[in-house]
Structures are given as C-alpha cells and as structure tokens.
Amino acid sequence: MSQRKPIYVTQPDMPPLDQFYPYLEQIWENRMLTNGGPFHQQLEEELCRYLGVEHICLFANGTLALLTALQALRVTGEVITTPYSFVATSHSLLWNGIKPVFVDVDPDTLNLDPARIEAAITPQTTAIMPVHCYGKPCDTRAIAAIADNYNLKVIYDAAHAFGVRHEGASVLNSGDLSVLSFHATKVFNTFEGGAIVCGDARTKQRIDRLKNFGIVDETTVVAPGINGKMSEINAAFGLLQLKGVDAAIAARARLARTYTEALADVPGIRCVRPWQEGASDPLLRESNYSYFPILVGPDYPLGRDALFARLKEHDIVARRYFYPLISSFPMYRDLPSASPDRLPVAARAAEQVLCLPIYPALDDSDQHRIIDLVEGSA
Ligand code: T4K
C-alpha cells in the first residue's frame, strides 16, 4: 500500500494564510459578523464587475440560493429539469413543493436537450431549470425561444459556470435568474457560499428580503423567508480568492490542455470538455475547466468502474459526477419522467463518466501518472 497523499478530484485553491489576516483584523474591528456587513457589500460589487452582471445576491450556499430563486419568481406546479446533475438541483424543487419533470440531455454537451423540452410541457409547467453542466453553456437561445413561446420562467443552475462567457457576454445573464455555488470544490470558493444573479434592482430587493426571513424593517415581515445570508468571514475570503481566480482558471486550462492532448488517441475515451484554443481568454472563455469529465466507452479495455477502482488503488480519487442519475434516487424514481427508458442519453453518460482530478495545485508529475494509468501504460 502506498503512503502517498491521495489526489482528489479537486482541491480548493488557497491563498497564503498571511494574506487573510488583515481581513480578519478588520472583521474583529468592525464587529459586524454577518447580516450584510461591509465585506458582503464589497464582494457583491466586485463580483458584479468581475462577472459582468447587473445585480448579485450572496448566499450561505448554492442550495439555499436555488430554493430562494424559485420562491423569488413564485414558481409552482411542474418544472422541467435535467436528471444529469448534482441532487441539489432537483432537491430545490421538492423543497418548494414543485414536481420535477426530467428531460433527457444532449449527447454532445450533456446539457438539457432543447429539442425534447416542448414535449414535456403541460398546463402545470411554469418554469425550466437547466444546468450549465461542468460549466458548459446550455443552448440558451433555444431555451429562451421555448420559454417565450410558452410563457415559462427560466432559472439556470449555474453552480459550475463561474466566469463563463457565452456569445461575448457572461452566461450568467441568460434566463430570468442564474444561481452560483461558491462551495469549497468550486473554481471560486468562499468555503461555503452561493449567489443569485438577476437583472433588476426590484428583483434583487425581493431576493435580499427572502434570504433574510422576509424582513423589510424592524417591524415589517412580508414573506416567509429563510436565513440564507453569507457571513463576513466567507465574504472576506471571497474577496481574497477573487484576486487569484484568473490565474487559477489559467492553471486549470493548462491541465485541461495536457489531458486533452494526451488522451485524444486513447481508444474508447472521449473528453467531454476538451481544452480549446483561445478559450482561456477571460473575455471569451466558454469554459472555466472546473471539471475534466471523460466518457469511458465500450472500446476501452476496462469498464468505467474498473478504471475508477484502478485509479483508487493508486490513491487517485476520481469521481463519477453524475452517477447515479438524480432520477434514480428513491424520492424521484416513481415519477413518470424518471423512467430510464425516457432518459437513455443521460443514463448512458452516467454509466460512462469519470471526472479526472483538476485543480491549480495538481503538479505535472501527478497529472502524468493519472494519464499513464488511463492510457494503460502504467
Ligand atoms: N447545483 C449543482 C449543479 C451543483 O454541482 C451543486 C453542488 C449545487 C447545485 C449546490 O451548491 P452548494 O449548496 O454545494 O453550494 C460536492 C459539493 O459538496 C457540491 O457543492 C458540488 N455541487 C458537488 C458536485 O460536489 P461531494 O459530496 O462530491 O463533495 P466531497 O466532500 O466528496 O468533495 C469532493 C472532493 O473534494 C473530496 O474528495 C476532497 C476534495 N475536497 C472537498 C472539500 C469539501 C477538498 O479538498 N476540500 C474540501 O474542503 O459534493
């Protein structure tokens, strides 16, 4: 058994600790620990500038942001969504008493397939909740056209899409609302955290009230809001992280390029989010390289799970994001739309996917060890 430290699918990018002390001193001095303190305010402003969005509402995590986004738009009834995501996407619907309706994904992008959405719309449908899976933009134009036609809201689960651009602008401006996660495993993290991006001040005000118990002022409560607030310590860490995020994404892009080139000719392996020339430019990038998913097809000498186990034997902890499909979990599997024969593309991807380690501190020799193991030459 080797004594090496495991290599995880991701590791948070940590700025030097001494750079965090001044923020802590400031918090101690301010004695404002939460409820919209100065660092919270500053992070909202800096994120709006960095991301190129009009308004942002910070949250304690992405799941509370999803829950609140649905409430902000008063979504009810049925919502069309993808089964190929992290469970938080559909859980946010159940927590709001909404019925998820699963629709299959596109085989190339693994995002919700717009061509299949219309057939799933019923008189109860009020919204679509797509996911920019692994940070790859959905077909936002096609989704907008369907939403306009049927008068549906669109809430993007953009948990993976921090800093991603699409057709020359932030992908976070698509739809009615976009929801980010700043969890420790994400490209930009605040330990735990999340946000809702919206386009107008009125919606921001409503969301800000909903995340603070529905409070308007000392004597007025207008909605059964939740406590979704981000604390000052998380906001301060976000400000520090933001300084290094372009360098972190550039480091990820280099790793993605190495994987893409090394694995291009391995029979049976398909890179779902290959590195692309020019795609590291912060103004153009359609990817933040938050994940490096590969599909292990029938031409590969090992099954996906055998490759997963082989890597693990070498202390490389890859992850099968997103297996099992959300629709196969007990709270969803009896829904008519959850039947696996209606979701063949997502079901196949879930059986074949393996996310390889990618994070700025992954060193070249470890990455080559991973590549050698996938190539079968180690
Ligand atoms: N929508 C989508 C599409 C999402 O992917 C997510 C979250 C959400 C919504 C909800 O957002 P949040 O409420 O989480 O803000 C992880 C994360 O917990 C979750 O945030 C993320 N998606 C999901 C895709 O992955 P796990 O259960 O796989 O995490 P865990 O603890 O196994 O971490 C993965 C690896 O990362 C570990 O092997 C080690 C490493 N790691 C992890 C943590 C927490 C570290 O090195 N340091 C750390 O602090 O869910």
Side-chain angles (χ1 to χ4, degrees):
M1 206 42 183
S2 107
Q3 292 305 303
R4 263 189 243 263
K5 223 175 137 200
I7 297 174
Y8 294 112
V9 66
T10 189
Q11 288 266 271
D13 192 34
M14 300 300 281
L17 187 54
D18 61 342
Q19 291 183 12
F20 197 43
Y21 292 142
Y23 292 89
L24 291 176
E25 280 165 8
Q26 192 65 53
I27 292 171
W28 258 244
E29 199 174 301
N30 293 342
R31 290 177 188 253
M32 271 306 289
L33 308 187
T34 185
N35 287 11
F39 284 135
H40 181 281
Q41 175 74 18
Q42 193 184 339
L43 183 59
E44 288 198 340
E45 287 164 12
E46 290 199 15
L47 282 174
C48 281
R49 268 197 300 277
Y50 177 84
L51 295 170
V53 302
E54 210 52 47
H55 298 283
I56 198 159
C57 309
L58 296 176
F59 275 79
N61 59 60
T63 304
L64 285 168
L66 281 172
L67 285 175
T68 307
L70 290 159
Q71 293 189 1
L73 299 183
R74 300 181 173 86
V75 174
T76 56
E78 295 180 3
V79 171
I80 291 171
T81 191
T82 168
Y84 191 79
S85 181
F86 187 60
V87 282
T89 311
S90 301
H91 280 2
S92 70
L93 299 171
L94 285 197
W95 272 84
N96 276 303
I98 295 165
K99 179 174 168 189
V101 175
F102 296 110
V103 163
D104 209 355
V105 296
D106 174 277
D108 290 327
T109 64
L110 304 184
N111 286 333
L112 197 59
D113 186 348
R116 296 173 187 273
I117 293 177
E118 269 184 280
I121 296 173
T122 74
Q124 282 72 47
T125 311
T126 58
I128 308 171
M129 188 185 266
V131 178
H132 302 299
C133 192
Y134 312 124
K136 167 84 178 172
C138 291
D139 186 344
T140 54
R141 275 174 195 251
I143 291 170
I146 297 165
D148 285 351
N149 217 3
Y150 290 88
N151 196 22
L152 304 176
K153 303 282 186 203
V154 181
I155 298 176
Y156 280 100
D157 180 338
H160 304 169
F162 185 90
V164 171
R165 318 258 310 166
H166 187 43
E167 298 179 345
S170 171
V171 75
L172 303 173
N173 291 319
S174 314
D176 294 281
L177 299 174
S178 289
V179 176
L180 287 159
S181 164
F182 304 150
H183 181 260
T185 54
K186 298 296 189 289
V187 164
F188 167 82
N189 90 81
T190 57
F191 282 43
E192 289 272 4
I196 301 179
V197 170
C198 65
D200 65 281
R202 222 187 127 129
T203 307
K204 173 163 171 55
Q205 185 188 58
R206 176 164 165 76
I207 293 168
D208 283 343
R209 287 174 178 170
L210 284 171
K211 77 173 190 193
N212 186 27
F213 313 100
I215 292 174
V216 174
D217 60 36
E218 236 177 280
T219 53
T220 321
V221 175
V222 289
I226 203 161
N227 180 357
K229 292 168 276 118
M230 177 183 279
S231 85
E232 282 293 273
I233 214 152
N234 300 95
F237 188 75
L239 285 166
L240 182 55
Q241 272 266 318
L242 200 52
K243 295 180 199 283
V245 76
D246 280 329
I249 294 174
R252 287 171 174 276
R254 278 194 297 279
L255 291 160
R257 180 180 189 163
T258 304
Y259 275 137
T260 303
E261 290 173 354
L263 300 178
D265 299 324
V266 179
I269 296 291
R270 180 188 139 205
C271 297
V272 186
R273 295 280 176 268
W275 174 85
Q276 280 166 332
E277 193 77 50
S280 308
D281 181 336
L283 290 179
L284 298 175
R285 64 178 173 229
E286 290 229 345
S287 179
N288 56 16
Y289 307 102
S290 44
Y291 297 87
F292 198 86
I294 58 170
L295 295 181
V296 183
D299 293 344
Y300 190 74
L302 296 178
R304 184 274 312 271
D305 289 343
L307 176 59
F308 172 72
R310 180 168 154 75
L311 291 170
K312 218 173 202 173
E313 279 164 22
H314 290 80
D315 292 324
I316 295 158
V317 192
R319 290 300 286 266
R320 290 166 287 188
Y321 296 132
F322 289 100
Y323 162 85
L325 284 186
I326 299 178
S327 45
S328 69
F329 290 123
M331 63 299 290
Y332 299 107
R333 66 180 169 220
D334 294 333
L335 292 168
S337 67
S339 162
D341 51 315
R342 291 179 177 219
L343 306 166
V345 181
R348 191 170 56 244
E351 293 298 328
Q352 294 187 343
V353 73
L354 194 60
C355 286
L356 300 179
I358 187 163
Y359 51 91
L362 181 65
D363 68 36
D364 289 354
S365 64
D366 283 336
Q367 187 182 26
H368 282 107
R369 216 154 51 81
I370 297 164
I371 289 168
D372 289 347
L373 285 162
V374 176
E375 279 177 336
S377 56

